[in-house]
Amino acid sequence: MNSSLIFLYGPSGSGKSTLGRLLAQNLGLSFFDLDAEIEQSSGMNIPQIFTSEGETGFRKREHAELQRLSALPEGVIALGGGALLDADSRARVEANGRVLLLDASADVLAARLRNDRNQRPLLASDTDRQLAKLLARRKEHYISFPAQLNTGALTPEQAAWQAQVQLGVFRVHTSPTSSYDVRVQCGGLDELGELLQQRGLKGPIVLVSDENVAPLYARRAMHALEQAGYETHLAIIPAGETHKTMNTVTSLWQAFLTAGVERSSTIVALGGGVTSDLAGFAAATYLRGVPWVAVPTSLLSMADASLGGKTGADLPQGKNLIGAFHAPRLVLADPQVLSSLPPAELRSGMGEVVKHGVISDPELFRLCPQALTEPAAMLEEIVRRAVAVKIRVIEADPYEQGWRAVLNLGHTIGHAVELVSGFKLRHGEAVSIGLVSETRLAEHIGLAQPGLSQQISIVLSSLGLPVEIPGDLDTDQILHAMGTDKKRAGGKVRFALPVKLGEARVGVEIENLRSIYEICFGLTRP
Ligand SMILES: NC(=O)c1ccc[n+]([C@@H]2O[C@H](COP(=O)([O-])OP(=O)(O)OC[C@H]3O[C@@H](n4cnc5c(N)ncnc54)[C@H](O)[C@@H]3O)[C@@H](O)[C@H]2O)c1
């Protein structure tokens, strides 16, 4: 299945052509309207074909045209409302690409069709009645498509974005002239080679993975790359934050040398955030910059670390002190690989995901408690939604000049407790504590709706994440780690804080944190 070949299907008036054009524009793909293609190849318009050849003749032409379009490597294709009634056409389309069924209520469809100048032979007279009959006839057929989007209450722009979220296909624009694709796709690992090829990426490829992930997925990834004709080398690094060092970066540079990596070669990072930070940084600095691709395998790296182009390594003095902005050429997240992620890592990743829900997706927030109880069913949607939130933020602020600070929600306090705990708290656990504490602060200053911290706390606790600053952590050290002793922003600490579910604010200055510490962060402390 090709994630870059998208078919929009559904009844007339559901918005296939309007949305299809926008979707193609957002993703940098070509747009095709099946009816327009038929008209062009036949030299007749659709009513003329119906008059001279009847519906049977039209369907024959439609079938042939669809065969041609479904062999394309990529594109967005708006189909006619009955194009997939034919089982053979449907099987071909579903095997070659992704089908999204668009729908809306009969009233909305009828209203849209009344304003549409396109002539539709099957709805030529008494449109409303004909439409109702057609919808009744095709009801079972339409609901049999697994991916559906109701466009009734959405603007075309909103519908196009929702379609992207639903299909897990995104393009991140880092500047007016550069961009990269992000795909969230179950089983996508097997398409890795094809996806690199479509983007013109070259070998030799060095696949970088850590000692936990490599035995599980490196062979599959290498097979996919080799099937596409790439010469592939494997570089395995030790797992864990303690190895996110310049020593490991040096070992990667050496592996690149041995593999004969050139300026045009590609580095593929297969692993969690440590792997993508290190491999991305090694790629950023080798030969002054080699293209790289992120294949995140932890929830945290899918939802956060692999997106945004920040790469780097730690120094003994602190985390991420070395780094470079080096955007990947592609991010491919395959949620199926999360099945092998240790539960503690999955929970930790959920800390960031809940944060994304709080920032701008209340529906994602609502889904979060189900992440651990119904993982297979829920995780793909959770990853797609979390990725969408981060993409919106980084597109608005690719180089961290302003709005991107919203991603620091929960992190001012989170980083401090992570540090003071001596990293005994996992990053996501510390973020969970930070989210609740900072929301209490937002409530205290009258910014957040009362009760919001309680709401967030319930969801995080249901995921097994801690929500209170551990009693054995020293208050002075936490305040010190937050920088209250330094002259930060004129003696104040700046926070990103939530206002309500789906809305947050950046640059909120808080003076005299010490005096409100007990109220905001220590409510339940003995
Ligand atoms: N660049 C950014 O914008 C950014 C953003 C957030 C975090 N980060 C960085 O990300 C790192 C944390 O990422 P992480 O939590 O993914 O850490 P990680 O890479 O250490 O992965 C966590 C653990 O899970 C294992 N693992 C990963 N995927 C697996 C899978 N599918 N099956 C089995 N085991 C698997 C890893 O081997 C590791 O032991 C930190 O270094 C942090 O600084 C970077």
PDB file of all heavy atoms in Angstrom, residues 210 212-213 216-217 239-241 244 271-275 277 297-298 300-301 304-305 307 310-311 319-320 337-338 340-342 345 390 404, ligand 1:
ATOM      1  N   ASP A 210      19.781   1.353  18.096  1.00  0.00           N
ATOM      2  CA  ASP A 210      20.456   1.001  19.349  1.00  0.00           C
ATOM      3  C   ASP A 210      20.365  -0.508  19.606  1.00  0.00           C
ATOM      4  O   ASP A 210      19.673  -1.239  18.891  1.00  0.00           O
ATOM      5  CB  ASP A 210      19.971   1.874  20.529  1.00  0.00           C
ATOM      6  CG  ASP A 210      18.607   1.461  21.079  1.00  0.00           C
ATOM      7  OD1 ASP A 210      18.160   0.330  20.833  1.00  0.00           O
ATOM      8  OD2 ASP A 210      17.986   2.284  21.776  1.00  0.00           O
ATOM      9  N   ASN A 212      18.871  -2.291  21.674  1.00  0.00           N
ATOM     10  CA  ASN A 212      17.562  -2.896  21.961  1.00  0.00           C
ATOM     11  C   ASN A 212      16.707  -2.985  20.713  1.00  0.00           C
ATOM     12  O   ASN A 212      15.982  -3.961  20.494  1.00  0.00           O
ATOM     13  CB  ASN A 212      16.785  -2.063  23.001  1.00  0.00           C
ATOM     14  CG  ASN A 212      17.479  -2.032  24.342  1.00  0.00           C
ATOM     15  OD1 ASN A 212      18.210  -2.958  24.674  1.00  0.00           O
ATOM     16  ND2 ASN A 212      17.266  -0.972  25.099  1.00  0.00           N
ATOM     17  N   VAL A 213      16.741  -1.931  19.924  1.00  0.00           N
ATOM     18  CA  VAL A 213      15.834  -1.832  18.775  1.00  0.00           C
ATOM     19  C   VAL A 213      16.375  -2.625  17.573  1.00  0.00           C
ATOM     20  O   VAL A 213      15.606  -3.263  16.841  1.00  0.00           O
ATOM     21  CB  VAL A 213      15.601  -0.343  18.409  1.00  0.00           C
ATOM     22  CG1 VAL A 213      14.735  -0.214  17.166  1.00  0.00           C
ATOM     23  CG2 VAL A 213      14.966   0.400  19.594  1.00  0.00           C
ATOM     24  N   LEU A 216      15.281  -6.153  17.006  1.00  0.00           N
ATOM     25  CA  LEU A 216      13.842  -6.289  16.737  1.00  0.00           C
ATOM     26  C   LEU A 216      13.469  -5.855  15.311  1.00  0.00           C
ATOM     27  O   LEU A 216      12.639  -6.493  14.659  1.00  0.00           O
ATOM     28  CB  LEU A 216      13.040  -5.439  17.745  1.00  0.00           C
ATOM     29  CG  LEU A 216      13.148  -5.825  19.218  1.00  0.00           C
ATOM     30  CD1 LEU A 216      12.563  -4.741  20.110  1.00  0.00           C
ATOM     31  CD2 LEU A 216      12.423  -7.145  19.447  1.00  0.00           C
ATOM     32  N   TYR A 217      14.049  -4.760  14.847  1.00  0.00           N
ATOM     33  CA  TYR A 217      13.544  -4.164  13.600  1.00  0.00           C
ATOM     34  C   TYR A 217      14.586  -3.853  12.517  1.00  0.00           C
ATOM     35  O   TYR A 217      14.205  -3.502  11.406  1.00  0.00           O
ATOM     36  CB  TYR A 217      12.766  -2.872  13.922  1.00  0.00           C
ATOM     37  CG  TYR A 217      11.645  -3.119  14.895  1.00  0.00           C
ATOM     38  CD1 TYR A 217      11.683  -2.620  16.193  1.00  0.00           C
ATOM     39  CD2 TYR A 217      10.546  -3.898  14.524  1.00  0.00           C
ATOM     40  CE1 TYR A 217      10.666  -2.881  17.101  1.00  0.00           C
ATOM     41  CE2 TYR A 217       9.521  -4.163  15.426  1.00  0.00           C
ATOM     42  CZ  TYR A 217       9.597  -3.652  16.712  1.00  0.00           C
ATOM     43  OH  TYR A 217       8.587  -3.920  17.602  1.00  0.00           O
ATOM     44  N   ALA A 239      22.350   1.532  24.058  1.00  0.00           N
ATOM     45  CA  ALA A 239      21.047   2.153  24.343  1.00  0.00           C
ATOM     46  C   ALA A 239      21.104   3.015  25.599  1.00  0.00           C
ATOM     47  O   ALA A 239      21.877   2.746  26.521  1.00  0.00           O
ATOM     48  CB  ALA A 239      19.994   1.059  24.525  1.00  0.00           C
ATOM     49  N   GLY A 240      20.286   4.050  25.609  1.00  0.00           N
ATOM     50  CA  GLY A 240      20.085   4.821  26.837  1.00  0.00           C
ATOM     51  C   GLY A 240      20.725   6.193  26.819  1.00  0.00           C
ATOM     52  O   GLY A 240      21.715   6.443  26.116  1.00  0.00           O
ATOM     53  N   GLU A 241      20.157   7.069  27.652  1.00  0.00           N
ATOM     54  CA  GLU A 241      20.580   8.470  27.728  1.00  0.00           C
ATOM     55  C   GLU A 241      22.062   8.602  28.105  1.00  0.00           C
ATOM     56  O   GLU A 241      22.736   9.523  27.640  1.00  0.00           O
ATOM     57  CB  GLU A 241      19.683   9.186  28.760  1.00  0.00           C
ATOM     58  CG  GLU A 241      19.862  10.679  28.843  1.00  0.00           C
ATOM     59  CD  GLU A 241      19.271  11.445  27.659  1.00  0.00           C
ATOM     60  OE1 GLU A 241      18.267  11.006  27.076  1.00  0.00           O
ATOM     61  OE2 GLU A 241      19.846  12.505  27.320  1.00  0.00           O
ATOM     62  N   LYS A 244      24.205   9.111  25.231  1.00  0.00           N
ATOM     63  CA  LYS A 244      23.949  10.225  24.288  1.00  0.00           C
ATOM     64  C   LYS A 244      25.110  11.221  24.398  1.00  0.00           C
ATOM     65  O   LYS A 244      24.960  12.346  24.875  1.00  0.00           O
ATOM     66  CB  LYS A 244      22.605  10.886  24.626  1.00  0.00           C
ATOM     67  CG  LYS A 244      22.050  11.715  23.490  1.00  0.00           C
ATOM     68  CD  LYS A 244      20.646  12.170  23.799  1.00  0.00           C
ATOM     69  CE  LYS A 244      20.424  13.599  23.448  1.00  0.00           C
ATOM     70  NZ  LYS A 244      19.086  14.064  23.796  1.00  0.00           N
ATOM     71  N   GLY A 271      14.951   4.157  15.928  1.00  0.00           N
ATOM     72  CA  GLY A 271      15.007   3.999  17.378  1.00  0.00           C
ATOM     73  C   GLY A 271      14.276   5.108  18.100  1.00  0.00           C
ATOM     74  O   GLY A 271      13.489   5.852  17.500  1.00  0.00           O
ATOM     75  N   GLY A 272      14.555   5.217  19.403  1.00  0.00           N
ATOM     76  CA  GLY A 272      13.913   6.248  20.217  1.00  0.00           C
ATOM     77  C   GLY A 272      14.584   7.601  20.037  1.00  0.00           C
ATOM     78  O   GLY A 272      15.395   7.796  19.122  1.00  0.00           O
ATOM     79  N   GLY A 273      14.264   8.511  20.952  1.00  0.00           N
ATOM     80  CA  GLY A 273      14.759   9.879  20.850  1.00  0.00           C
ATOM     81  C   GLY A 273      16.270   9.985  20.977  1.00  0.00           C
ATOM     82  O   GLY A 273      16.881  10.867  20.365  1.00  0.00           O
ATOM     83  N   VAL A 274      16.880   9.084  21.738  1.00  0.00           N
ATOM     84  CA  VAL A 274      18.336   9.125  21.860  1.00  0.00           C
ATOM     85  C   VAL A 274      18.965   8.821  20.498  1.00  0.00           C
ATOM     86  O   VAL A 274      19.866   9.522  20.036  1.00  0.00           O
ATOM     87  CB  VAL A 274      18.819   8.123  22.947  1.00  0.00           C
ATOM     88  CG1 VAL A 274      20.320   7.947  22.892  1.00  0.00           C
ATOM     89  CG2 VAL A 274      18.383   8.599  24.332  1.00  0.00           C
ATOM     90  N   THR A 275      18.441   7.797  19.829  1.00  0.00           N
ATOM     91  CA  THR A 275      18.986   7.418  18.518  1.00  0.00           C
ATOM     92  C   THR A 275      18.778   8.537  17.496  1.00  0.00           C
ATOM     93  O   THR A 275      19.700   8.883  16.748  1.00  0.00           O
ATOM     94  CB  THR A 275      18.316   6.109  18.018  1.00  0.00           C
ATOM     95  OG1 THR A 275      18.534   5.106  19.001  1.00  0.00           O
ATOM     96  CG2 THR A 275      18.875   5.668  16.689  1.00  0.00           C
ATOM     97  N   ASP A 277      18.268  11.776  18.021  1.00  0.00           N
ATOM     98  CA  ASP A 277      19.080  12.960  18.347  1.00  0.00           C
ATOM     99  C   ASP A 277      20.533  12.750  17.920  1.00  0.00           C
ATOM    100  O   ASP A 277      21.149  13.630  17.314  1.00  0.00           O
ATOM    101  CB  ASP A 277      19.031  13.247  19.855  1.00  0.00           C
ATOM    102  CG  ASP A 277      17.819  14.102  20.249  1.00  0.00           C
ATOM    103  OD1 ASP A 277      16.938  14.308  19.387  1.00  0.00           O
ATOM    104  OD2 ASP A 277      17.755  14.559  21.404  1.00  0.00           O
ATOM    105  N   THR A 297      10.841   4.817  16.996  1.00  0.00           N
ATOM    106  CA  THR A 297      10.236   3.556  17.460  1.00  0.00           C
ATOM    107  C   THR A 297       9.678   3.645  18.873  1.00  0.00           C
ATOM    108  O   THR A 297       9.044   2.708  19.340  1.00  0.00           O
ATOM    109  CB  THR A 297      11.267   2.407  17.422  1.00  0.00           C
ATOM    110  OG1 THR A 297      12.348   2.746  18.297  1.00  0.00           O
ATOM    111  CG2 THR A 297      11.795   2.163  16.023  1.00  0.00           C
ATOM    112  N   SER A 298       9.949   4.745  19.595  1.00  0.00           N
ATOM    113  CA  SER A 298       9.325   4.912  20.914  1.00  0.00           C
ATOM    114  C   SER A 298       8.192   5.917  20.760  1.00  0.00           C
ATOM    115  O   SER A 298       8.188   6.725  19.817  1.00  0.00           O
ATOM    116  CB  SER A 298      10.342   5.408  21.940  1.00  0.00           C
ATOM    117  OG  SER A 298      10.690   6.753  21.678  1.00  0.00           O
ATOM    118  N   LEU A 300       7.598   8.450  22.617  1.00  0.00           N
ATOM    119  CA  LEU A 300       8.142   9.793  22.811  1.00  0.00           C
ATOM    120  C   LEU A 300       8.805  10.314  21.546  1.00  0.00           C
ATOM    121  O   LEU A 300       8.661  11.478  21.180  1.00  0.00           O
ATOM    122  CB  LEU A 300       9.150   9.795  23.960  1.00  0.00           C
ATOM    123  CG  LEU A 300       9.604  11.203  24.329  1.00  0.00           C
ATOM    124  CD1 LEU A 300       9.115  11.574  25.708  1.00  0.00           C
ATOM    125  CD2 LEU A 300      11.092  11.348  24.252  1.00  0.00           C
ATOM    126  N   SER A 301       9.515   9.436  20.850  1.00  0.00           N
ATOM    127  CA  SER A 301      10.187   9.932  19.643  1.00  0.00           C
ATOM    128  C   SER A 301       9.195  10.119  18.498  1.00  0.00           C
ATOM    129  O   SER A 301       9.366  11.013  17.676  1.00  0.00           O
ATOM    130  CB  SER A 301      11.354   9.035  19.239  1.00  0.00           C
ATOM    131  OG  SER A 301      10.933   7.733  19.005  1.00  0.00           O
ATOM    132  N   ASP A 304       7.266  13.392  19.499  1.00  0.00           N
ATOM    133  CA  ASP A 304       8.019  14.579  19.872  1.00  0.00           C
ATOM    134  C   ASP A 304       9.416  14.631  19.255  1.00  0.00           C
ATOM    135  O   ASP A 304       9.697  15.441  18.359  1.00  0.00           O
ATOM    136  CB  ASP A 304       8.105  14.622  21.417  1.00  0.00           C
ATOM    137  CG  ASP A 304       8.492  15.982  21.947  1.00  0.00           C
ATOM    138  OD1 ASP A 304       8.680  16.900  21.138  1.00  0.00           O
ATOM    139  OD2 ASP A 304       8.613  16.139  23.174  1.00  0.00           O
ATOM    140  N   ALA A 305      10.328  13.729  19.727  1.00  0.00           N
ATOM    141  CA  ALA A 305      11.748  13.913  19.427  1.00  0.00           C
ATOM    142  C   ALA A 305      12.108  13.898  17.945  1.00  0.00           C
ATOM    143  O   ALA A 305      13.019  14.604  17.524  1.00  0.00           O
ATOM    144  CB  ALA A 305      12.550  12.843  20.175  1.00  0.00           C
ATOM    145  N   LEU A 307      10.449  14.968  15.458  1.00  0.00           N
ATOM    146  CA  LEU A 307       9.854  16.053  14.678  1.00  0.00           C
ATOM    147  C   LEU A 307      10.472  17.385  15.073  1.00  0.00           C
ATOM    148  O   LEU A 307      10.623  17.663  16.264  1.00  0.00           O
ATOM    149  CB  LEU A 307       8.349  16.124  14.953  1.00  0.00           C
ATOM    150  CG  LEU A 307       7.560  14.876  14.597  1.00  0.00           C
ATOM    151  CD1 LEU A 307       6.226  14.869  15.328  1.00  0.00           C
ATOM    152  CD2 LEU A 307       7.329  14.805  13.094  1.00  0.00           C
ATOM    153  N   LYS A 310      15.477  19.242  15.665  1.00  0.00           N
ATOM    154  CA  LYS A 310      16.489  19.481  16.705  1.00  0.00           C
ATOM    155  C   LYS A 310      17.262  18.186  16.916  1.00  0.00           C
ATOM    156  O   LYS A 310      16.671  17.128  17.145  1.00  0.00           O
ATOM    157  CB  LYS A 310      15.823  19.916  18.016  1.00  0.00           C
ATOM    158  CG  LYS A 310      15.294  21.333  17.952  1.00  0.00           C
ATOM    159  CD  LYS A 310      15.228  21.990  19.311  1.00  0.00           C
ATOM    160  CE  LYS A 310      14.095  21.523  20.155  1.00  0.00           C
ATOM    161  NZ  LYS A 310      14.068  22.153  21.480  1.00  0.00           N
ATOM    162  N   THR A 311      18.588  18.263  16.817  1.00  0.00           N
ATOM    163  CA  THR A 311      19.428  17.076  16.987  1.00  0.00           C
ATOM    164  C   THR A 311      20.509  17.417  18.008  1.00  0.00           C
ATOM    165  O   THR A 311      20.791  18.595  18.219  1.00  0.00           O
ATOM    166  CB  THR A 311      20.116  16.692  15.662  1.00  0.00           C
ATOM    167  OG1 THR A 311      21.067  17.718  15.339  1.00  0.00           O
ATOM    168  CG2 THR A 311      19.123  16.551  14.519  1.00  0.00           C
ATOM    169  N   LYS A 319      22.166  18.031  29.812  1.00  0.00           N
ATOM    170  CA  LYS A 319      21.523  17.397  28.648  1.00  0.00           C
ATOM    171  C   LYS A 319      21.458  18.348  27.456  1.00  0.00           C
ATOM    172  O   LYS A 319      21.260  19.557  27.628  1.00  0.00           O
ATOM    173  CB  LYS A 319      20.082  17.018  29.021  1.00  0.00           C
ATOM    174  CG  LYS A 319      19.956  15.642  29.664  1.00  0.00           C
ATOM    175  CD  LYS A 319      18.494  15.269  29.887  1.00  0.00           C
ATOM    176  CE  LYS A 319      17.752  15.090  28.574  1.00  0.00           C
ATOM    177  NZ  LYS A 319      16.497  14.352  28.691  1.00  0.00           N
ATOM    178  N   ASN A 320      21.613  17.798  26.285  1.00  0.00           N
ATOM    179  CA  ASN A 320      21.403  18.520  25.023  1.00  0.00           C
ATOM    180  C   ASN A 320      22.211  19.822  24.911  1.00  0.00           C
ATOM    181  O   ASN A 320      21.761  20.775  24.292  1.00  0.00           O
ATOM    182  CB  ASN A 320      19.914  18.857  24.831  1.00  0.00           C
ATOM    183  CG  ASN A 320      19.055  17.608  24.776  1.00  0.00           C
ATOM    184  OD1 ASN A 320      19.486  16.582  24.234  1.00  0.00           O
ATOM    185  ND2 ASN A 320      17.865  17.660  25.332  1.00  0.00           N
ATOM    186  N   VAL A 337       5.301  -0.899  15.854  1.00  0.00           N
ATOM    187  CA  VAL A 337       6.519  -1.258  16.594  1.00  0.00           C
ATOM    188  C   VAL A 337       6.401  -0.906  18.077  1.00  0.00           C
ATOM    189  O   VAL A 337       7.222  -1.347  18.879  1.00  0.00           O
ATOM    190  CB  VAL A 337       7.805  -0.610  15.992  1.00  0.00           C
ATOM    191  CG1 VAL A 337       7.954  -0.935  14.523  1.00  0.00           C
ATOM    192  CG2 VAL A 337       7.843   0.894  16.215  1.00  0.00           C
ATOM    193  N   LEU A 338       5.371  -0.138  18.431  1.00  0.00           N
ATOM    194  CA  LEU A 338       5.193   0.196  19.845  1.00  0.00           C
ATOM    195  C   LEU A 338       4.809  -1.027  20.672  1.00  0.00           C
ATOM    196  O   LEU A 338       4.877  -1.003  21.900  1.00  0.00           O
ATOM    197  CB  LEU A 338       4.130   1.296  20.011  1.00  0.00           C
ATOM    198  CG  LEU A 338       4.488   2.652  19.385  1.00  0.00           C
ATOM    199  CD1 LEU A 338       3.322   3.617  19.498  1.00  0.00           C
ATOM    200  CD2 LEU A 338       5.730   3.233  20.043  1.00  0.00           C
ATOM    201  N   SER A 340       6.401  -3.614  21.134  1.00  0.00           N
ATOM    202  CA  SER A 340       7.542  -4.165  21.882  1.00  0.00           C
ATOM    203  C   SER A 340       8.139  -3.152  22.860  1.00  0.00           C
ATOM    204  O   SER A 340       9.099  -3.457  23.561  1.00  0.00           O
ATOM    205  CB  SER A 340       8.632  -4.625  20.898  1.00  0.00           C
ATOM    206  OG  SER A 340       9.045  -3.536  20.101  1.00  0.00           O
ATOM    207  N   LEU A 341       7.584  -1.950  22.886  1.00  0.00           N
ATOM    208  CA  LEU A 341       8.133  -0.922  23.786  1.00  0.00           C
ATOM    209  C   LEU A 341       7.814  -1.289  25.235  1.00  0.00           C
ATOM    210  O   LEU A 341       6.662  -1.593  25.555  1.00  0.00           O
ATOM    211  CB  LEU A 341       7.505   0.431  23.434  1.00  0.00           C
ATOM    212  CG  LEU A 341       8.136   1.675  24.056  1.00  0.00           C
ATOM    213  CD1 LEU A 341       9.542   1.903  23.516  1.00  0.00           C
ATOM    214  CD2 LEU A 341       7.278   2.905  23.784  1.00  0.00           C
ATOM    215  N   PRO A 342       8.812  -1.272  26.133  1.00  0.00           N
ATOM    216  CA  PRO A 342       8.515  -1.604  27.542  1.00  0.00           C
ATOM    217  C   PRO A 342       7.410  -0.681  28.079  1.00  0.00           C
ATOM    218  O   PRO A 342       7.405   0.516  27.775  1.00  0.00           O
ATOM    219  CB  PRO A 342       9.847  -1.344  28.253  1.00  0.00           C
ATOM    220  CG  PRO A 342      10.888  -1.450  27.180  1.00  0.00           C
ATOM    221  CD  PRO A 342      10.239  -0.982  25.916  1.00  0.00           C
ATOM    222  N   GLU A 345       8.206   2.765  29.305  1.00  0.00           N
ATOM    223  CA  GLU A 345       8.560   3.734  28.249  1.00  0.00           C
ATOM    224  C   GLU A 345       7.290   4.259  27.576  1.00  0.00           C
ATOM    225  O   GLU A 345       7.203   5.426  27.216  1.00  0.00           O
ATOM    226  CB  GLU A 345       9.473   3.090  27.196  1.00  0.00           C
ATOM    227  CG  GLU A 345      10.823   2.641  27.698  1.00  0.00           C
ATOM    228  CD  GLU A 345      11.711   3.796  28.172  1.00  0.00           C
ATOM    229  OE1 GLU A 345      11.424   4.963  27.865  1.00  0.00           O
ATOM    230  OE2 GLU A 345      12.686   3.512  28.884  1.00  0.00           O
ATOM    231  N   LYS A 390       2.208  18.576  17.242  1.00  0.00           N
ATOM    232  CA  LYS A 390       3.596  19.076  17.211  1.00  0.00           C
ATOM    233  C   LYS A 390       3.885  19.748  15.871  1.00  0.00           C
ATOM    234  O   LYS A 390       4.552  20.785  15.815  1.00  0.00           O
ATOM    235  CB  LYS A 390       4.593  17.938  17.487  1.00  0.00           C
ATOM    236  CG  LYS A 390       6.029  18.435  17.355  1.00  0.00           C
ATOM    237  CD  LYS A 390       6.982  18.046  18.433  1.00  0.00           C
ATOM    238  CE  LYS A 390       8.329  18.752  18.223  1.00  0.00           C
ATOM    239  NZ  LYS A 390       9.402  18.282  19.048  1.00  0.00           N
ATOM    240  N   ARG A 404       6.845  28.139  19.731  1.00  0.00           N
ATOM    241  CA  ARG A 404       7.320  26.776  20.007  1.00  0.00           C
ATOM    242  C   ARG A 404       7.533  26.551  21.504  1.00  0.00           C
ATOM    243  O   ARG A 404       7.555  25.415  21.979  1.00  0.00           O
ATOM    244  CB  ARG A 404       8.603  26.516  19.218  1.00  0.00           C
ATOM    245  CG  ARG A 404       9.008  25.067  19.163  1.00  0.00           C
ATOM    246  CD  ARG A 404       9.739  24.786  17.875  1.00  0.00           C
ATOM    247  NE  ARG A 404      10.553  23.587  17.938  1.00  0.00           N
ATOM    248  CZ  ARG A 404      11.232  23.106  16.920  1.00  0.00           C
ATOM    249  NH1 ARG A 404      11.209  23.724  15.766  1.00  0.00           N
ATOM    250  NH2 ARG A 404      11.947  22.014  17.025  1.00  0.00           N
TER     251      ARG A 404
HETATM  252  N1  LIG B   1      15.081  16.481  19.439  1.00  0.00           N
HETATM  253  C1  LIG B   1      13.986  16.789  20.082  1.00  0.00           C
HETATM  254  O1  LIG B   1      13.231  17.680  19.704  1.00  0.00           O
HETATM  255  C2  LIG B   1      13.636  16.007  21.324  1.00  0.00           C
HETATM  256  C3  LIG B   1      12.378  16.157  21.912  1.00  0.00           C
HETATM  257  C4  LIG B   1      12.067  15.383  23.023  1.00  0.00           C
HETATM  258  C5  LIG B   1      12.997  14.477  23.527  1.00  0.00           C
HETATM  259  N2  LIG B   1      14.216  14.373  22.928  1.00  0.00           N
HETATM  260  C6  LIG B   1      15.222  13.424  23.442  1.00  0.00           C
HETATM  261  O2  LIG B   1      14.706  12.108  23.307  1.00  0.00           O
HETATM  262  C7  LIG B   1      15.336  11.279  24.266  1.00  0.00           C
HETATM  263  C8  LIG B   1      14.274  10.418  24.914  1.00  0.00           C
HETATM  264  O3  LIG B   1      13.668   9.631  23.918  1.00  0.00           O
HETATM  265  P1  LIG B   1      13.152   8.145  24.230  1.00  0.00           P
HETATM  266  O4  LIG B   1      12.279   8.157  25.419  1.00  0.00           O
HETATM  267  O5  LIG B   1      12.651   7.571  22.962  1.00  0.00           O
HETATM  268  O6  LIG B   1      14.502   7.462  24.699  1.00  0.00           O
HETATM  269  P2  LIG B   1      15.356   6.231  24.132  1.00  0.00           P
HETATM  270  O7  LIG B   1      15.786   6.464  22.762  1.00  0.00           O
HETATM  271  O8  LIG B   1      16.408   5.994  25.136  1.00  0.00           O
HETATM  272  O9  LIG B   1      14.316   5.028  24.126  1.00  0.00           O
HETATM  273  C9  LIG B   1      13.828   4.533  25.348  1.00  0.00           C
HETATM  274  C10 LIG B   1      14.130   3.037  25.492  1.00  0.00           C
HETATM  275  O10 LIG B   1      13.214   2.307  24.703  1.00  0.00           O
HETATM  276  C11 LIG B   1      13.920   1.415  23.832  1.00  0.00           C
HETATM  277  N3  LIG B   1      13.091   1.290  22.641  1.00  0.00           N
HETATM  278  C12 LIG B   1      12.781   2.273  21.748  1.00  0.00           C
HETATM  279  N4  LIG B   1      11.884   1.820  20.861  1.00  0.00           N
HETATM  280  C13 LIG B   1      11.610   0.538  21.181  1.00  0.00           C
HETATM  281  C14 LIG B   1      10.746  -0.453  20.658  1.00  0.00           C
HETATM  282  N5  LIG B   1       9.915  -0.194  19.637  1.00  0.00           N
HETATM  283  N6  LIG B   1      10.743  -1.686  21.231  1.00  0.00           N
HETATM  284  C15 LIG B   1      11.545  -1.942  22.304  1.00  0.00           C
HETATM  285  N7  LIG B   1      12.363  -1.033  22.867  1.00  0.00           N
HETATM  286  C16 LIG B   1      12.395   0.195  22.316  1.00  0.00           C
HETATM  287  C17 LIG B   1      15.268   2.048  23.641  1.00  0.00           C
HETATM  288  O11 LIG B   1      16.228   1.092  23.282  1.00  0.00           O
HETATM  289  C18 LIG B   1      15.518   2.640  25.025  1.00  0.00           C
HETATM  290  O12 LIG B   1      16.005   1.636  25.872  1.00  0.00           O
HETATM  291  C19 LIG B   1      16.038  12.200  25.248  1.00  0.00           C
HETATM  292  O13 LIG B   1      17.422  12.140  25.013  1.00  0.00           O
HETATM  293  C20 LIG B   1      15.501  13.575  24.911  1.00  0.00           C
HETATM  294  O14 LIG B   1      16.453  14.601  25.162  1.00  0.00           O
HETATM  295  C21 LIG B   1      14.552  15.108  21.846  1.00  0.00           C
END
